[in-house]
Amino acid sequence: MSIPTILKARQSVAEGTMAFHFDKPAGFDFKPGQAIDVILPRDGIANDSPDARHTFSIVSAPFENELVVTTRMRDSSFKRAFGSWPIGDPIEIEGPFGSLTLPKSHARPAVLIAGGIGITPFMSMVRHANKNQTQQDLLLIYSNHRPEDTAFLDELQQLAKSNPRFHMVATMTDMDRSSQTWASHTEQVDANLIQEATKGLDTPVFYVSGPPGMVRAMSKILDEAAVDEEDVHSEEFYGY
Ligand SMILES: Cc1cc2nc3c(=O)[nH]c(=O)nc-3n(C[C@H](O)[C@H](O)[C@H](O)COP(=O)(O)OP(=O)(O)OC[C@H]3O[C@@H](n4cnc5c(N)ncnc54)[C@H](O)[C@@H]3O)c2cc1C
Protein backbone atom coordinates (compact mmCIF):
# COMPACT_ATOMS: atom_id res chain seq x y z
CA MET A 1 0.00 0.00 0.00
CA SER A 2 1.44 3.36 -0.97
CA ILE A 3 2.01 6.10 1.61
CA PRO A 4 1.67 9.79 0.71
CA THR A 5 4.52 12.18 1.45
CA ILE A 6 6.00 15.47 0.20
CA LEU A 7 9.22 16.23 -1.68
CA LYS A 8 10.97 18.69 0.64
CA ALA A 9 14.30 19.32 -1.06
CA ARG A 10 16.69 18.19 -3.77
CA GLN A 11 20.44 18.67 -3.72
CA SER A 12 23.51 17.63 -5.72
CA VAL A 13 25.81 15.24 -3.80
CA ALA A 14 28.30 14.45 -6.61
CA GLU A 15 28.52 15.08 -10.35
CA GLY A 16 25.25 13.92 -11.95
CA THR A 17 24.01 12.63 -8.60
CA MET A 18 21.06 14.04 -6.65
CA ALA A 19 19.69 13.46 -3.17
CA PHE A 20 15.91 13.80 -2.70
CA HIS A 21 14.52 14.61 0.76
CA PHE A 22 10.98 13.62 1.79
CA ASP A 23 8.88 14.12 4.89
CA LYS A 24 9.09 10.92 6.94
CA PRO A 25 5.47 9.75 7.29
CA ALA A 26 4.28 9.27 10.90
CA GLY A 27 5.03 5.76 12.15
CA PHE A 28 7.31 4.94 9.21
CA ASP A 29 9.94 2.56 10.54
CA PHE A 30 12.85 0.92 8.70
CA LYS A 31 16.21 -0.74 9.18
CA PRO A 32 19.43 0.73 7.76
CA GLY A 33 20.01 -0.88 4.35
CA GLN A 34 16.33 -1.16 3.41
CA ALA A 35 14.74 0.41 0.33
CA ILE A 36 11.50 2.07 -0.76
CA ASP A 37 9.66 2.45 -4.02
CA VAL A 38 9.20 6.09 -5.01
CA ILE A 39 6.02 6.65 -7.02
CA LEU A 40 5.47 9.83 -9.02
CA PRO A 41 1.71 10.10 -9.67
CA ARG A 42 1.34 11.39 -13.23
CA ASP A 43 -1.72 11.62 -15.48
CA GLY A 44 -1.82 8.87 -18.09
CA ILE A 45 0.99 6.79 -16.49
CA ALA A 46 0.05 3.73 -14.45
CA ASN A 47 1.53 3.77 -10.93
CA ASP A 48 3.10 0.35 -11.45
CA SER A 49 4.90 1.39 -14.67
CA PRO A 50 8.72 1.84 -14.53
CA ASP A 51 8.07 5.40 -15.75
CA ALA A 52 6.20 6.10 -12.51
CA ARG A 53 7.96 3.89 -9.97
CA HIS A 54 11.61 3.20 -9.07
CA THR A 55 13.26 1.43 -6.15
CA PHE A 56 15.84 3.34 -4.06
CA SER A 57 17.72 2.47 -0.91
CA ILE A 58 17.14 4.84 1.99
CA VAL A 59 20.27 6.91 2.58
CA SER A 60 19.10 8.58 5.77
CA ALA A 61 19.30 6.71 9.07
CA PRO A 62 16.25 5.78 11.17
CA PHE A 63 17.03 8.48 13.79
CA GLU A 64 16.70 11.26 11.20
CA ASN A 65 13.34 12.97 10.83
CA GLU A 66 13.33 12.84 7.03
CA LEU A 67 13.68 10.16 4.35
CA VAL A 68 16.42 10.67 1.77
CA VAL A 69 17.18 8.73 -1.42
CA THR A 70 20.03 9.38 -3.84
CA THR A 71 20.41 8.54 -7.51
CA ARG A 72 22.48 9.06 -10.63
CA MET A 73 20.43 11.34 -12.88
CA ARG A 74 20.10 9.35 -16.12
CA ASP A 75 17.91 10.39 -19.06
CA SER A 76 14.97 8.09 -18.30
CA SER A 77 11.33 9.17 -18.19
CA PHE A 78 11.17 8.57 -14.41
CA LYS A 79 14.35 10.50 -13.67
CA ARG A 80 13.41 13.45 -15.89
CA ALA A 81 10.15 13.71 -13.94
CA PHE A 82 11.87 13.17 -10.56
CA GLY A 83 14.54 15.78 -11.32
CA SER A 84 11.94 18.45 -12.07
CA TRP A 85 9.29 17.43 -9.49
CA PRO A 86 8.19 20.66 -7.75
CA ILE A 87 9.44 21.03 -4.19
CA GLY A 88 6.42 20.81 -1.87
CA ASP A 89 4.40 18.60 -4.24
CA PRO A 90 3.04 15.22 -3.11
CA ILE A 91 4.61 11.92 -4.09
CA GLU A 92 4.02 8.39 -2.81
CA ILE A 93 6.31 5.78 -1.35
CA GLU A 94 5.93 2.08 -0.72
CA GLY A 95 7.94 0.00 1.72
CA PRO A 96 10.26 -0.35 3.43
CA PHE A 97 11.54 -3.67 2.12
CA GLY A 98 14.77 -5.57 1.57
CA SER A 99 17.06 -7.69 3.66
CA LEU A 100 20.43 -6.02 3.04
CA THR A 101 20.61 -5.24 6.74
CA LEU A 102 23.27 -5.78 9.38
CA PRO A 103 22.79 -8.68 11.82
CA LYS A 104 21.48 -7.98 15.32
CA SER A 105 24.67 -9.35 16.84
CA HIS A 106 27.63 -6.99 16.58
CA ALA A 107 30.14 -9.74 17.30
CA ARG A 108 31.43 -10.10 13.74
CA PRO A 109 32.88 -7.25 11.69
CA ALA A 110 31.05 -6.21 8.51
CA VAL A 111 32.80 -5.41 5.24
CA LEU A 112 30.72 -3.16 2.99
CA ILE A 113 31.82 -3.14 -0.68
CA ALA A 114 30.18 -0.36 -2.73
CA GLY A 115 30.46 0.38 -6.44
CA GLY A 116 29.47 3.99 -7.20
CA ILE A 117 25.86 4.74 -6.29
CA GLY A 118 25.80 1.34 -4.52
CA ILE A 119 26.93 3.35 -1.48
CA THR A 120 23.31 4.28 -0.66
CA PRO A 121 22.28 1.41 1.67
CA PHE A 122 25.64 1.63 3.45
CA MET A 123 25.27 5.35 4.20
CA SER A 124 22.27 4.59 6.37
CA MET A 125 24.16 1.79 8.15
CA VAL A 126 27.25 3.93 8.78
CA ARG A 127 25.25 6.94 10.02
CA HIS A 128 23.16 4.70 12.28
CA ALA A 129 26.25 2.96 13.71
CA ASN A 130 27.93 6.31 14.35
CA LYS A 131 24.91 7.82 16.09
CA ASN A 132 24.42 4.74 18.28
CA GLN A 133 28.14 4.16 18.92
CA THR A 134 27.58 0.58 17.80
CA GLN A 135 30.29 -1.80 18.98
CA GLN A 136 30.76 -3.44 15.58
CA ASP A 137 33.73 -2.92 13.27
CA LEU A 138 32.61 -1.63 9.88
CA LEU A 139 34.99 -1.51 6.91
CA LEU A 140 33.80 0.26 3.76
CA ILE A 141 35.56 -0.52 0.47
CA TYR A 142 34.27 2.18 -1.90
CA SER A 143 35.08 2.20 -5.63
CA ASN A 144 34.38 5.13 -7.96
CA HIS A 145 35.77 6.54 -11.20
CA ARG A 146 36.79 9.92 -9.76
CA PRO A 147 36.38 11.91 -6.52
CA GLU A 148 34.01 14.19 -8.47
CA ASP A 149 31.60 11.23 -8.91
CA THR A 150 31.87 9.99 -5.34
CA ALA A 151 28.71 10.62 -3.35
CA PHE A 152 29.18 11.45 0.36
CA LEU A 153 33.00 11.29 0.16
CA ASP A 154 33.60 14.19 2.59
CA GLU A 155 31.11 12.86 5.12
CA LEU A 156 32.59 9.36 4.97
CA GLN A 157 36.14 10.67 5.38
CA GLN A 158 35.00 12.66 8.45
CA LEU A 159 33.23 9.62 9.93
CA ALA A 160 36.35 7.49 9.40
CA LYS A 161 38.31 10.07 11.43
CA SER A 162 35.78 10.45 14.24
CA ASN A 163 34.48 6.88 14.67
CA PRO A 164 37.21 4.39 15.66
CA ARG A 165 34.91 1.49 14.70
CA PHE A 166 34.53 2.71 11.08
CA HIS A 167 37.25 2.44 8.44
CA MET A 168 37.20 3.24 4.74
CA VAL A 169 39.37 2.17 1.83
CA ALA A 170 38.35 4.24 -1.22
CA THR A 171 39.67 3.72 -4.73
CA MET A 172 39.36 6.02 -7.77
CA THR A 173 39.78 4.01 -10.96
CA ASP A 174 39.74 6.78 -13.59
CA MET A 175 41.92 9.56 -12.19
CA ASP A 176 43.11 10.48 -15.74
CA ARG A 177 39.72 12.17 -16.20
CA SER A 178 39.80 13.93 -12.82
CA SER A 179 40.81 17.50 -12.07
CA GLN A 180 41.29 16.67 -8.38
CA THR A 181 44.20 15.05 -6.58
CA TRP A 182 43.92 11.62 -4.97
CA ALA A 183 46.69 10.10 -2.88
CA SER A 184 45.19 6.68 -2.21
CA HIS A 185 44.16 3.57 -4.18
CA THR A 186 43.46 3.81 -7.93
CA GLU A 187 43.15 0.11 -8.81
CA GLN A 188 39.86 -1.72 -9.28
CA VAL A 189 38.66 -3.64 -6.26
CA ASP A 190 40.22 -7.08 -6.69
CA ALA A 191 41.20 -10.04 -4.54
CA ASN A 192 44.45 -8.35 -3.44
CA LEU A 193 42.76 -5.14 -2.34
CA ILE A 194 40.09 -7.04 -0.41
CA GLN A 195 42.67 -9.28 1.24
CA GLU A 196 44.86 -6.32 2.23
CA ALA A 197 41.96 -4.20 3.48
CA THR A 198 40.41 -6.99 5.56
CA LYS A 199 43.66 -8.17 7.17
CA GLY A 200 43.12 -8.61 10.91
CA LEU A 201 39.30 -8.77 10.69
CA ASP A 202 38.03 -11.95 12.32
CA THR A 203 35.52 -13.83 10.04
CA PRO A 204 33.74 -10.78 8.66
CA VAL A 205 30.31 -10.76 7.01
CA PHE A 206 30.37 -9.20 3.51
CA TYR A 207 27.83 -6.86 1.93
CA VAL A 208 28.11 -5.87 -1.74
CA SER A 209 26.05 -3.18 -3.50
CA GLY A 210 26.41 -1.64 -6.95
CA PRO A 211 25.90 -2.28 -10.68
CA PRO A 212 25.22 -5.94 -11.56
CA GLY A 213 28.63 -6.51 -13.21
CA MET A 214 30.48 -5.25 -10.15
CA VAL A 215 28.34 -7.27 -7.74
CA ARG A 216 28.94 -10.44 -9.75
CA ALA A 217 32.71 -9.80 -9.89
CA MET A 218 32.86 -9.31 -6.11
CA SER A 219 30.78 -12.44 -5.46
CA LYS A 220 33.23 -14.45 -7.60
CA ILE A 221 36.26 -13.06 -5.74
CA LEU A 222 34.69 -13.83 -2.36
CA ASP A 223 33.71 -17.31 -3.52
CA GLU A 224 37.28 -17.97 -4.71
CA ALA A 225 38.54 -16.72 -1.33
CA ALA A 226 36.39 -19.48 0.25
CA VAL A 227 34.05 -17.05 2.03
CA ASP A 228 30.91 -18.97 3.00
CA GLU A 229 28.08 -17.89 0.66
CA GLU A 230 25.85 -17.35 3.70
CA ASP A 231 28.27 -14.60 4.73
CA VAL A 232 27.88 -12.68 1.46
CA HIS A 233 24.83 -10.42 1.04
CA SER A 234 24.36 -8.36 -2.10
CA GLU A 235 22.11 -5.93 -3.93
CA GLU A 236 22.27 -5.25 -7.66
CA PHE A 237 21.28 -1.82 -9.00
CA TYR A 238 20.04 -2.28 -12.59
CA GLY A 239 20.33 0.53 -15.13
CA TYR A 240 24.02 1.41 -14.64
C1 LIG B 1 16.76 -2.86 -3.76
C2 LIG B 1 17.21 -1.82 -4.77
C3 LIG B 1 17.73 -0.62 -4.30
C4 LIG B 1 18.15 0.36 -5.21
N1 LIG B 1 18.67 1.53 -4.72
C5 LIG B 1 19.08 2.47 -5.59
C6 LIG B 1 19.62 3.70 -5.11
O1 LIG B 1 19.71 3.93 -3.90
N2 LIG B 1 20.03 4.61 -6.01
C7 LIG B 1 19.95 4.38 -7.37
O2 LIG B 1 20.34 5.25 -8.15
N3 LIG B 1 19.44 3.24 -7.86
C8 LIG B 1 18.99 2.29 -7.01
N4 LIG B 1 18.46 1.13 -7.49
C9 LIG B 1 18.31 1.01 -8.96
C10 LIG B 1 17.12 1.86 -9.43
O3 LIG B 1 15.90 1.26 -8.98
C11 LIG B 1 17.07 2.00 -10.98
O4 LIG B 1 17.05 0.73 -11.57
C12 LIG B 1 18.27 2.76 -11.49
O5 LIG B 1 18.36 4.02 -10.84
C13 LIG B 1 18.20 2.95 -13.01
O6 LIG B 1 17.09 3.74 -13.31
P1 LIG B 1 17.03 4.58 -14.68
O7 LIG B 1 15.72 5.29 -14.70
O8 LIG B 1 18.28 5.40 -14.81
O9 LIG B 1 17.11 3.47 -15.80
P2 LIG B 1 15.93 2.56 -16.34
O10 LIG B 1 15.50 3.18 -17.63
O11 LIG B 1 14.92 2.29 -15.28
O12 LIG B 1 16.71 1.21 -16.59
C14 LIG B 1 17.89 1.16 -17.41
C15 LIG B 1 18.07 -0.27 -17.93
O13 LIG B 1 18.07 -1.22 -16.86
C16 LIG B 1 17.10 -2.23 -17.08
N5 LIG B 1 16.47 -2.61 -15.81
C17 LIG B 1 15.84 -1.77 -14.95
N6 LIG B 1 15.37 -2.46 -13.89
C18 LIG B 1 15.70 -3.77 -14.11
C19 LIG B 1 15.49 -4.97 -13.39
N7 LIG B 1 14.82 -4.96 -12.21
N8 LIG B 1 15.96 -6.12 -13.92
C20 LIG B 1 16.65 -6.13 -15.08
N9 LIG B 1 16.89 -5.01 -15.81
C21 LIG B 1 16.41 -3.86 -15.33
C22 LIG B 1 16.08 -1.60 -18.00
O14 LIG B 1 15.41 -2.58 -18.78
C23 LIG B 1 16.94 -0.70 -18.86
O15 LIG B 1 17.52 -1.41 -19.94
C24 LIG B 1 18.03 0.14 -6.62
C25 LIG B 1 17.48 -1.06 -7.08
C26 LIG B 1 17.09 -2.03 -6.17
C27 LIG B 1 16.47 -3.30 -6.71
Side-chain angles (χ1 to χ4, degrees), residues 54-57 70-71 74 76 79 120 235 237-240:
H54 267 39
T55 303
F56 298 108
S57 303
T70 301
T71 189
R74 306 288 185 218
S76 66
K79 288 192 179 167
T120 49
E235 197 132 272
F237 288 6
Y238 290 93
Y240 297 110

Side-chain angles (χ1 to χ4, degrees), residues 142-179:
Y142 189 15
S143 182
N144 281 273
H145 292 295
R146 309 171 303 157
E148 290 91 324
D149 308 313
T150 306
F152 310 111
L153 183 59
D154 290 348
E155 180 181 345
L156 288 164
Q157 286 172 328
Q158 285 307 318
L159 285 169
K161 279 189 195 143
S162 62
N163 182 352
R165 290 281 191 175
F166 172 62
H167 301 275
M168 174 168 69
V169 173
T171 184
M172 302 295 159
T173 58
D174 199 2
M175 283 306 293
D176 287 350
R177 289 197 306 111
S178 174
S179 57

